[in-house]
Amino acid sequence: MEFYLFGFIGLVLLFFIVVYGVQMGIDSSKQVKALKAELKDIKRHIKELEEKKK
């Protein structure tokens, strides 16, 4: 009986670890996408400034 309890607690713990890992992966993915969008915007501004200088 004790083995089933420990096995169940282990599975629940494993589930929460996986959920936490997936959430952290999604968060960092959103940050990377936001940084890419910001870099594209900065590049566009730099090109506009270079064109104005000419």
Side-chain angles (χ1 to χ4, degrees), residues 40-51:
K40 286 181 184 179
D41 190 42
I42 291 172
K43 280 184 176 180
R44 185 174 51 81
H45 284 293
I46 290 173
K47 284 183 181 180
E48 288 175 0
L49 288 173
E50 286 177 350
E51 287 174 1

Side-chain angles (χ1 to χ4, degrees), residues 7-19:
F8 179 72
I9 291 173
L11 286 176
V12 169
L13 185 63
L14 181 64
F15 173 76
F16 284 116
I17 290 171
V18 168
V19 167

Side-chain angles (χ1 to χ4, degrees), residues 4-46:
Y4 293 117
L5 180 64
F6 289 136
F8 179 72
I9 291 173
L11 286 176
V12 169
L13 185 63
L14 181 64
F15 173 76
F16 284 116
I17 290 171
V18 168
V19 167
Y20 177 76
V22 169
Q23 285 178 343
M24 294 304 291
I26 290 172
D27 265 355
S28 61
S29 174
K30 287 181 181 177
Q31 288 175 346
V32 167
K33 286 181 182 179
L35 285 174
K36 282 184 177 181
E38 195 171 335
L39 282 174
K40 286 181 184 179
D41 190 42
I42 291 172
K43 280 184 176 180
R44 185 174 51 81
H45 284 293
I46 290 173

